[in-house]
Amino acid sequence: MSAFSKDDNHLDGEGSVQVQLDPDLRIDGAKVFAVYGKGGIGKSTTSSNLSVAFSKLGKRVLQIGCDPKHDSTFTLTKCLVPTVIDILESVNFHAEELRPSDYVYEGYNGVMCVEAGGPPAGTGCGGYVVGQTVKLLKQHHLLEDTDVVIFDVLGDVVCGGFAAPLQHAERALIVTANDFDSIFAMNRIAAAIVAKAKHYKVRIGGVIANRSVNTDEIDRFNAAIGLKRLAHLPDLDIIRRSRLKKSTLFEMVESDDPGLELAKQQYLQLAERLWAGVEPLTAQPMRDRDIFDFLGFD
Protein backbone atom coordinates (compact mmCIF):
# COMPACT_ATOMS: atom_id res chain seq x y z
CA MET A 1 0.00 0.00 0.00
CA SER A 2 1.27 3.47 -0.81
CA ALA A 3 2.99 5.46 1.92
CA PHE A 4 0.54 8.23 1.09
CA SER A 5 -2.63 6.16 1.31
CA LYS A 6 -5.37 7.50 3.58
CA ASP A 7 -6.04 3.93 4.64
CA ASP A 8 -2.47 3.26 5.68
CA ASN A 9 -2.42 3.08 9.47
CA HIS A 10 1.30 2.56 9.83
CA LEU A 11 3.09 5.02 12.05
CA ASP A 12 5.43 7.53 10.49
CA GLY A 13 8.77 5.94 11.19
CA GLU A 14 9.82 3.38 13.78
CA GLY A 15 8.66 4.39 17.24
CA SER A 16 6.94 7.52 15.93
CA VAL A 17 3.62 8.87 17.18
CA GLN A 18 3.16 11.06 14.11
CA VAL A 19 0.48 10.08 11.59
CA GLN A 20 1.40 10.06 7.95
CA LEU A 21 0.92 12.94 5.58
CA ASP A 22 -2.53 13.46 4.08
CA PRO A 23 -2.08 12.63 0.37
CA ASP A 24 -4.17 15.67 -0.56
CA LEU A 25 -1.42 17.90 0.86
CA ARG A 26 1.36 16.68 -1.39
CA ILE A 27 3.25 19.38 -3.27
CA ASP A 28 3.38 18.39 -6.93
CA GLY A 29 5.26 20.07 -9.75
CA ALA A 30 7.74 22.21 -7.79
CA LYS A 31 11.18 21.21 -6.59
CA VAL A 32 10.92 21.23 -2.80
CA PHE A 33 13.86 21.70 -0.45
CA ALA A 34 13.93 21.68 3.37
CA VAL A 35 16.81 23.51 5.06
CA TYR A 36 17.91 22.29 8.49
CA GLY A 37 20.82 22.98 10.82
CA LYS A 38 21.84 23.89 14.34
CA GLY A 39 20.07 26.89 15.84
CA GLY A 40 21.84 30.13 14.87
CA ILE A 41 23.91 28.53 12.13
CA GLY A 42 22.50 30.76 9.37
CA LYS A 43 19.62 28.76 7.91
CA SER A 44 17.46 31.80 7.23
CA THR A 45 20.35 33.67 5.62
CA THR A 46 21.09 30.60 3.52
CA SER A 47 17.45 30.05 2.60
CA SER A 48 16.77 33.67 1.64
CA ASN A 49 19.89 34.06 -0.48
CA LEU A 50 19.26 30.70 -2.11
CA SER A 51 15.68 31.77 -2.87
CA VAL A 52 16.96 34.91 -4.58
CA ALA A 53 19.57 32.90 -6.47
CA PHE A 54 16.82 30.65 -7.83
CA SER A 55 14.81 33.75 -8.79
CA LYS A 56 17.85 35.14 -10.61
CA LEU A 57 17.78 31.94 -12.67
CA GLY A 58 14.23 32.85 -13.70
CA LYS A 59 12.48 30.46 -11.32
CA ARG A 60 9.26 31.22 -9.44
CA VAL A 61 10.16 30.76 -5.79
CA LEU A 62 8.18 30.36 -2.57
CA GLN A 63 9.97 30.45 0.80
CA ILE A 64 8.15 29.12 3.86
CA GLY A 65 9.53 30.02 7.27
CA CYS A 66 8.80 27.33 9.89
CA ASP A 67 9.78 29.04 13.13
CA PRO A 68 7.62 30.78 15.76
CA LYS A 69 10.05 33.73 15.57
CA HIS A 70 8.77 34.24 11.99
CA ASP A 71 12.03 35.91 10.89
CA SER A 72 12.94 33.63 7.99
CA THR A 73 11.91 36.07 5.26
CA PHE A 74 12.62 39.50 6.75
CA THR A 75 15.62 40.14 4.51
CA LEU A 76 13.31 39.52 1.55
CA THR A 77 10.32 41.55 2.75
CA LYS A 78 12.11 44.11 5.03
CA CYS A 79 9.64 43.37 7.82
CA LEU A 80 8.34 40.61 10.10
CA VAL A 81 5.24 39.49 8.24
CA PRO A 82 2.24 38.00 10.10
CA THR A 83 2.23 34.25 10.43
CA VAL A 84 -0.31 31.86 8.98
CA ILE A 85 -1.37 30.93 12.50
CA ASP A 86 -1.84 34.61 13.42
CA ILE A 87 -3.98 35.17 10.34
CA LEU A 88 -6.04 32.01 10.93
CA GLU A 89 -6.62 33.02 14.53
CA SER A 90 -7.86 36.45 13.40
CA VAL A 91 -10.71 34.76 11.48
CA ASN A 92 -11.37 32.19 14.21
CA PHE A 93 -9.74 29.53 12.02
CA HIS A 94 -12.31 29.91 9.24
CA ALA A 95 -9.78 29.41 6.44
CA GLU A 96 -12.42 29.99 3.76
CA GLU A 97 -12.43 33.68 4.71
CA LEU A 98 -8.79 34.17 3.77
CA ARG A 99 -7.29 35.44 0.54
CA PRO A 100 -3.71 34.75 -0.61
CA SER A 101 -2.78 38.38 0.03
CA ASP A 102 -3.60 37.86 3.72
CA TYR A 103 -0.63 35.59 4.31
CA VAL A 104 1.61 35.60 1.19
CA TYR A 105 3.98 38.55 0.73
CA GLU A 106 6.14 39.37 -2.26
CA GLY A 107 9.79 39.84 -1.42
CA TYR A 108 12.90 40.88 -3.29
CA ASN A 109 13.03 39.90 -6.97
CA GLY A 110 9.59 38.34 -6.82
CA VAL A 111 10.27 35.70 -4.17
CA MET A 112 6.96 34.87 -2.50
CA CYS A 113 7.21 34.68 1.28
CA VAL A 114 5.12 32.88 3.88
CA GLU A 115 5.76 32.59 7.61
CA ALA A 116 4.02 29.53 8.99
CA GLY A 117 4.83 30.53 12.54
CA GLY A 118 4.12 28.14 15.35
CA PRO A 119 1.87 27.46 18.31
CA PRO A 120 2.49 29.23 21.64
CA ALA A 121 5.26 27.55 23.60
CA GLY A 122 4.21 24.24 25.10
CA THR A 123 0.71 24.28 23.61
CA GLY A 124 0.83 22.61 20.23
CA CYS A 125 2.71 20.91 17.43
CA GLY A 126 4.69 22.53 14.64
CA GLY A 127 3.55 19.78 12.29
CA TYR A 128 -0.01 21.10 12.47
CA VAL A 129 1.23 24.57 11.49
CA VAL A 130 3.13 23.27 8.47
CA GLY A 131 0.14 21.21 7.40
CA GLN A 132 -2.25 24.15 7.64
CA THR A 133 0.14 26.33 5.63
CA VAL A 134 0.46 23.82 2.79
CA LYS A 135 -3.31 23.27 2.87
CA LEU A 136 -3.96 27.00 2.39
CA LEU A 137 -1.41 27.27 -0.41
CA LYS A 138 -3.05 24.38 -2.24
CA GLN A 139 -6.57 25.70 -1.69
CA HIS A 140 -5.57 28.99 -3.28
CA HIS A 141 -3.69 27.21 -6.11
CA LEU A 142 -0.48 29.05 -5.26
CA LEU A 143 1.71 25.98 -5.62
CA GLU A 144 0.63 25.43 -9.23
CA ASP A 145 2.62 28.44 -10.40
CA THR A 146 5.72 27.71 -8.32
CA ASP A 147 8.99 26.19 -9.52
CA VAL A 148 10.85 26.01 -6.21
CA VAL A 149 9.63 25.74 -2.61
CA ILE A 150 12.12 26.24 0.23
CA PHE A 151 11.18 25.30 3.81
CA ASP A 152 13.39 27.09 6.35
CA VAL A 153 12.97 25.02 9.50
CA LEU A 154 13.45 25.83 13.18
CA GLY A 155 16.88 25.08 14.59
CA ASP A 156 17.99 21.52 15.10
CA VAL A 157 14.65 20.39 16.52
CA VAL A 158 13.86 17.13 14.77
CA CYS A 159 10.74 16.05 16.66
CA GLY A 160 7.83 14.84 14.58
CA GLY A 161 6.32 18.33 14.36
CA PHE A 162 9.28 20.25 13.05
CA ALA A 163 10.33 17.31 10.90
CA ALA A 164 7.01 17.73 9.06
CA PRO A 165 8.55 19.66 6.13
CA LEU A 166 10.49 16.49 5.35
CA GLN A 167 7.17 14.92 4.37
CA HIS A 168 6.91 17.45 1.54
CA ALA A 169 10.53 17.89 0.47
CA GLU A 170 12.39 16.07 -2.27
CA ARG A 171 15.81 17.02 -0.92
CA ALA A 172 16.88 18.08 2.57
CA LEU A 173 19.88 20.38 2.93
CA ILE A 174 21.90 20.63 6.13
CA VAL A 175 23.69 23.86 7.06
CA THR A 176 26.68 23.43 9.36
CA ALA A 177 29.85 25.09 10.57
CA ASN A 178 33.23 23.45 11.04
CA ASP A 179 32.77 22.86 14.77
CA PHE A 180 31.70 20.13 17.18
CA ASP A 181 28.21 21.41 18.07
CA SER A 182 27.18 22.07 14.47
CA ILE A 183 28.39 18.70 13.23
CA PHE A 184 26.83 16.92 16.21
CA ALA A 185 23.50 18.57 15.30
CA MET A 186 24.02 17.65 11.64
CA ASN A 187 24.36 14.00 12.61
CA ARG A 188 21.06 14.13 14.52
CA ILE A 189 19.33 15.87 11.60
CA ALA A 190 20.69 13.29 9.17
CA ALA A 191 19.21 10.55 11.37
CA ALA A 192 15.80 12.28 11.26
CA ILE A 193 15.92 12.52 7.48
CA VAL A 194 16.90 8.87 7.14
CA ALA A 195 13.92 7.94 9.33
CA LYS A 196 11.51 10.01 7.21
CA ALA A 197 12.96 8.53 4.03
CA LYS A 198 11.49 5.15 5.01
CA HIS A 199 8.01 6.43 4.17
CA TYR A 200 8.51 9.61 2.12
CA LYS A 201 10.41 10.63 -0.99
CA VAL A 202 12.76 12.99 0.88
CA ARG A 203 16.47 12.24 0.69
CA ILE A 204 19.54 14.12 1.87
CA GLY A 205 20.78 16.39 -0.90
CA GLY A 206 23.98 17.55 0.73
CA VAL A 207 25.71 19.85 3.18
CA ILE A 208 26.25 23.61 3.08
CA ALA A 209 29.30 24.74 5.04
CA ASN A 210 28.61 28.15 6.55
CA ARG A 211 30.47 30.67 8.73
CA SER A 212 33.68 28.65 8.48
CA VAL A 213 37.13 29.47 7.17
CA ASN A 214 37.96 25.78 6.87
CA THR A 215 35.86 22.70 6.18
CA ASP A 216 38.25 19.94 7.28
CA GLU A 217 36.09 18.56 10.10
CA ILE A 218 32.93 18.79 7.99
CA ASP A 219 34.60 16.95 5.14
CA ARG A 220 36.03 14.29 7.45
CA PHE A 221 32.61 13.67 8.98
CA ASN A 222 30.90 13.65 5.58
CA ALA A 223 33.30 11.03 4.32
CA ALA A 224 32.67 8.89 7.39
CA ILE A 225 28.87 8.74 7.09
CA GLY A 226 28.28 9.26 3.36
CA LEU A 227 27.49 12.96 2.95
CA LYS A 228 28.83 15.53 0.48
CA ARG A 229 29.47 19.26 0.67
CA LEU A 230 27.53 21.29 -1.90
CA ALA A 231 28.75 24.79 -1.07
CA HIS A 232 31.07 26.70 1.23
CA LEU A 233 30.26 30.15 2.61
CA PRO A 234 33.22 31.46 4.63
CA ASP A 235 32.73 33.65 7.71
CA LEU A 236 32.31 36.86 5.69
CA ASP A 237 31.56 40.20 7.32
CA ILE A 238 29.47 41.22 4.29
CA ILE A 239 26.96 38.50 5.25
CA ARG A 240 26.68 39.86 8.78
CA ARG A 241 26.21 43.40 7.43
CA SER A 242 23.55 42.28 4.98
CA ARG A 243 21.45 40.93 7.85
CA LEU A 244 21.80 44.21 9.74
CA LYS A 245 20.60 46.05 6.64
CA LYS A 246 17.63 43.66 6.31
CA SER A 247 18.89 42.72 2.85
CA THR A 248 19.95 39.70 0.90
CA LEU A 249 23.47 39.65 -0.50
CA PHE A 250 22.08 40.32 -3.97
CA GLU A 251 20.89 43.76 -2.89
CA MET A 252 24.18 44.87 -1.36
CA VAL A 253 26.11 47.41 -3.43
CA GLU A 254 29.45 47.41 -1.63
CA SER A 255 31.52 46.58 -4.69
CA ASP A 256 34.79 47.11 -2.80
CA ASP A 257 34.19 44.03 -0.66
CA PRO A 258 35.65 40.99 -2.47
CA GLY A 259 33.60 38.65 -0.28
CA LEU A 260 30.33 39.92 -1.74
CA GLU A 261 30.88 38.55 -5.22
CA LEU A 262 32.31 35.33 -3.83
CA ALA A 263 29.21 34.74 -1.70
CA LYS A 264 26.77 35.59 -4.48
CA GLN A 265 28.53 33.22 -6.86
CA GLN A 266 28.38 30.42 -4.27
CA TYR A 267 24.61 30.84 -3.98
CA LEU A 268 24.08 31.05 -7.73
CA GLN A 269 26.18 27.95 -8.32
CA LEU A 270 24.31 26.13 -5.54
CA ALA A 271 20.96 27.07 -7.09
CA GLU A 272 22.10 25.88 -10.51
CA ARG A 273 23.34 22.62 -9.05
CA LEU A 274 20.14 21.99 -7.10
CA TRP A 275 17.94 22.85 -10.07
CA ALA A 276 19.89 20.46 -12.29
CA GLY A 277 19.38 17.79 -9.63
CA VAL A 278 21.66 16.33 -6.98
CA GLU A 279 21.89 12.63 -6.38
CA PRO A 280 20.27 11.41 -3.15
CA LEU A 281 22.76 10.56 -0.45
CA THR A 282 22.46 7.43 1.65
CA ALA A 283 23.92 8.44 4.99
CA GLN A 284 24.64 6.22 7.96
CA PRO A 285 24.53 8.58 10.97
CA MET A 286 26.64 7.77 14.00
CA ARG A 287 25.42 7.08 17.49
CA ASP A 288 25.90 9.99 19.88
CA ARG A 289 28.79 8.34 21.68
CA ASP A 290 30.52 7.44 18.41
CA ILE A 291 30.34 10.96 17.01
CA PHE A 292 31.55 12.32 20.34
CA ASP A 293 34.62 10.12 20.06
CA PHE A 294 35.01 10.78 16.33
CA LEU A 295 35.13 14.56 16.75
CA GLY A 296 36.92 14.62 20.07
CA PHE A 297 40.55 15.55 20.59
CA ASP A 298 43.11 13.87 22.84
Side-chain angles (χ1 to χ4, degrees), residues 15-134:
S16 174
V17 295
Q18 298 294 315
V19 296
Q20 291 196 338
L21 176 68
D22 185 332
D24 293 335
L25 295 184
R26 294 173 64 182
I27 299 176
D28 298 313
K31 290 181 180 289
V32 185
F33 303 96
V35 179
Y36 283 82
K38 174 181 174 292
I41 199 60
K43 293 179 301 299
S44 293
T45 300
T46 299
S47 298
S48 296
N49 282 292
L50 182 57
S51 288
V52 174
F54 274 120
S55 75
K56 293 288 186 181
L57 299 180
K59 310 306 177 187
R60 298 163 297 182
V61 185
L62 171 67
Q63 181 170 321
I64 303 175
C66 303
D67 190 327
K69 298 197 307 295
H70 62 101
D71 61 350
S72 169
T73 60
F74 85 90
T75 58
L76 294 163
T77 62
K78 316 308 176 201
C79 65
L80 291 177
V81 303
T83 70
V84 168
I85 289 301
D86 290 338
I87 297 299
L88 281 170
E89 188 176 26
S90 71
V91 295
N92 200 26
F93 290 87
H94 292 295
E96 68 277 3
E97 297 181 19
L98 297 182
R99 299 165 300 176
S101 58
D102 291 327
Y103 62 95
V104 181
Y105 296 80
E106 184 171 348
Y108 175 70
N109 209 45
V111 175
M112 304 308 293
C113 303
V114 174
E115 291 286 353
T123 65
C125 178
Y128 167 80
V129 178
V130 172
Q132 288 299 304
T133 299
V134 174

Side-chain angles (χ1 to χ4, degrees), residues 30-283:
K31 290 181 180 289
V32 185
F33 303 96
V35 179
Y36 283 82
K38 174 181 174 292
I41 199 60
K43 293 179 301 299
S44 293
T45 300
T46 299
S47 298
S48 296
N49 282 292
L50 182 57
S51 288
V52 174
F54 274 120
S55 75
K56 293 288 186 181
L57 299 180
K59 310 306 177 187
R60 298 163 297 182
V61 185
L62 171 67
Q63 181 170 321
I64 303 175
C66 303
D67 190 327
K69 298 197 307 295
H70 62 101
D71 61 350
S72 169
T73 60
F74 85 90
T75 58
L76 294 163
T77 62
K78 316 308 176 201
C79 65
L80 291 177
V81 303
T83 70
V84 168
I85 289 301
D86 290 338
I87 297 299
L88 281 170
E89 188 176 26
S90 71
V91 295
N92 200 26
F93 290 87
H94 292 295
E96 68 277 3
E97 297 181 19
L98 297 182
R99 299 165 300 176
S101 58
D102 291 327
Y103 62 95
V104 181
Y105 296 80
E106 184 171 348
Y108 175 70
N109 209 45
V111 175
M112 304 308 293
C113 303
V114 174
E115 291 286 353
T123 65
C125 178
Y128 167 80
V129 178
V130 172
Q132 288 299 304
T133 299
V134 174
K135 184 176 180 179
L136 275 175
L137 291 167
K138 287 186 75 73
Q139 286 176 343
H140 290 127
H141 307 286
L142 295 173
L143 295 171
E144 297 170 8
D145 297 322
T146 303
D147 298 313
V148 176
V149 176
I150 294 178
F151 285 97
D152 173 20
V153 191
L154 167 68
D156 51 359
V157 178
V158 290
C159 69
F162 286 104
L166 296 174
Q167 298 175 346
H168 301 281
E170 176 185 1
R171 293 288 181 268
L173 309 173
I174 307 175
V175 182
T176 186
N178 199 49
D179 60 59
F180 177 90
D181 290 334
S182 301
I183 298 173
F184 191 90
M186 175 166 63
N187 186 68
R188 282 287 188 89
I189 294 164
I193 300 166
V194 169
K196 285 290 184 183
K198 293 177 182 178
H199 294 289
Y200 299 99
K201 64 181 180 180
V202 67
R203 298 293 184 271
I204 300 175
V207 174
I208 301 169
N210 194 44
R211 296 181 179 174
S212 300
V213 175
N214 301 312
T215 64
D216 54 330
E217 293 299 326
I218 296 172
D219 296 338
R220 190 167 72 91
F221 174 75
N222 285 350
I225 74 164
L227 296 181
K228 291 183 180 179
R229 176 164 48 87
L230 295 175
H232 176 207
L233 279 300
D235 190 10
L236 299 172
D237 192 57
I238 188 66
I239 297 178
R240 180 189 65 83
R241 296 202 305 273
S242 71
R243 295 283 290 180
L244 290 173
K245 290 188 175 183
K246 301 181 181 67
S247 297
T248 64
L249 289 166
F250 293 87
E251 299 166 81
M252 300 292 283
V253 293
E254 301 178 35
S255 58
D256 59 332
D257 190 325
L260 178 58
E261 192 59 31
L262 182 153
K264 289 196 296 186
Q265 286 303 313
Q266 278 290 302
Y267 279 115
L268 287 168
Q269 290 170 12
L270 177 59
E272 290 174 345
R273 190 171 180 181
L274 291 173
W275 181 257
V278 292
E279 290 297 317
L281 301 176
T282 304

